[in-house]
Amino acid sequence: HTKARNAYGSFLKHIDDRQGALGQWKKALADDPSNAAALNNIATHIGTIAIQNNIRTRIPEAFQSLEKAIALAPNEALYRHNFATTLSLFRLDAMHHYKISAREVSQRALTELGKGMELAPDNFEIAADRAETYLDIKPLPRQRVLQAWERARIIAKQKIQMDWVNLQTAIVHLETGDLDAAETNLNLVSKDTFQKLVRDLRTTLKSKRAAKKPKP
C-alpha cells in the first residue's frame, strides 16, 4: 500500500507530524525501492529540517534521493523543480558533494528547471524560480534573466504573480543600471502587494540616481 503510505505521510506532514510522515515514506520506500514519490518526499523533508534547524548533514541524501526520483520518473516536473530548488538553497553543500563550482551548481539548477518547464510549460512557480536562479550567476546575464521573467509574465494567471514579475524585473534593471526601466516596473506593482520591498527598491533607485548626477 505504498500509495496509501505516501498520502498518509503527506497528511502527517500537513498537521506538522514530520517524524511520523518520514516514517510512512520510509516504509513505502522499503516496500517499493523504486517509489519515486517517496524519494521526493523524503528529500524535501530533509531540506525543510535543514532550513529549520540549520543542520545540513543529510543534504547529500536529499540530492541522491531526488536524482533517483528523476531517474525513475523523468517526466515528473515536480521532482526536477525540487532538485533545482535544493541545489540553489544548499549551494555550498552541492559544490562539495558534486565537486563543482558555484556557477556550475547554478547551471545545473537551470538545466533542471528548463526541463521542468518543457514538462509543465504553464507552471508559473517553475518559470519564476528559473528566472530567479539567474540572479546567482555573476556577472548577471541581463538579457537571459529578462527573457526568463518575460516567459514567467506570459504564464502568470494571478495579480500577485504579475506583481512579483514586475518587482523582480525592476531588481534586474536596478542591478544593471537601467534606472528608468526599474521605475517603470515598480510603478506597475499593485498598491496592495510587496509594498515594503517596493519602498526599499525606490530608496535604492533614488540613491543610484543621486550617485549618477554630476558633481557641481
Side-chain angles (χ1 to χ4, degrees):
H1 302 288
T2 54
K3 288 184 178 180
R5 287 199 183 280
N6 275 327
Y8 185 40
S10 296
F11 167 75
L12 292 174
K13 178 184 176 182
H14 182 70
I15 62 172
D16 209 29
D17 182 359
R18 296 187 178 276
Q19 284 306 114
L22 182 61
Q24 291 300 317
W25 294 328
K26 288 203 166 189
K27 286 177 181 177
L29 199 58
D31 291 338
D32 178 11
S34 64
N35 191 302
L39 287 162
N40 171 74
N41 290 337
I42 289 170
T44 55
H45 171 83
I46 291 171
T48 300
I49 296 301
I51 291 170
Q52 290 177 341
N53 301 326
N54 197 28
I55 299 174
R56 304 198 304 270
T57 53
R58 294 184 62 195
I59 291 301
E61 181 185 345
F63 292 145
Q64 292 164 356
S65 294
L66 285 165
E67 284 186 287
K68 189 173 181 181
I70 290 169
L72 290 166
N75 294 326
E76 178 53 69
L78 174 65
Y79 304 159
R80 294 184 181 277
H81 187 191
N82 286 342
F83 185 34
T85 301
T86 306
L87 288 169
S88 296
L89 285 173
F90 304 102
R91 183 173 293 101
L92 291 176
D93 302 271
M95 290 167 63
H96 179 74
H97 180 70
Y98 294 108
K99 296 179 172 54
I100 56 179
S101 68
R103 188 182 184 90
E104 288 172 318
V105 173
S106 296
Q107 291 291 354
R108 184 161 187 177
L110 285 168
T111 297
E112 292 299 336
L113 289 165
K115 291 177 180 175
M117 285 192 66
E118 291 174 9
L119 295 166
D122 294 326
N123 188 307
F124 176 82
E125 286 73 22
I126 295 178
D129 281 353
R130 179 172 174 268
E132 288 186 45
T133 301
Y134 278 111
L135 297 177
D136 296 327
I137 299 177
K138 305 299 178 190
L140 183 66
R142 174 183 165 85
Q143 286 307 120
R144 281 188 288 167
V145 69
L146 288 175
Q147 288 170 359
W149 279 118
E150 284 308 305
R151 175 73 181 104
R153 186 190 302 279
I154 290 170
I155 61 177
K157 296 181 178 65
Q158 302 172 21
K159 182 180 72 171
I160 194 170
Q161 294 174 338
M162 189 66 75
D163 286 340
W164 187 246
V165 171
N166 286 319
L167 189 69
Q168 293 296 322
T169 303
I171 291 173
V172 176
H173 288 311
L174 273 174
E175 290 197 6
T176 55
D178 193 340
L179 304 185
D180 289 340
E183 184 172 23
T184 297
N185 278 273
L186 286 175
N187 289 338
L188 293 173
V189 178
S190 303
K191 301 300 182 185
D192 56 346
T193 59
F194 307 119
Q195 284 308 295
K196 184 182 184 305
L197 279 172
V198 170
R199 287 193 297 270
D200 291 344
L201 290 173
R202 288 194 186 280
T203 300
T204 301
L205 176 63
K206 185 177 179 180
S207 298
K208 285 181 176 287
R209 280 202 165 126
K212 287 184 71 173
K213 287 183 178 178
K215 295 182 180 179

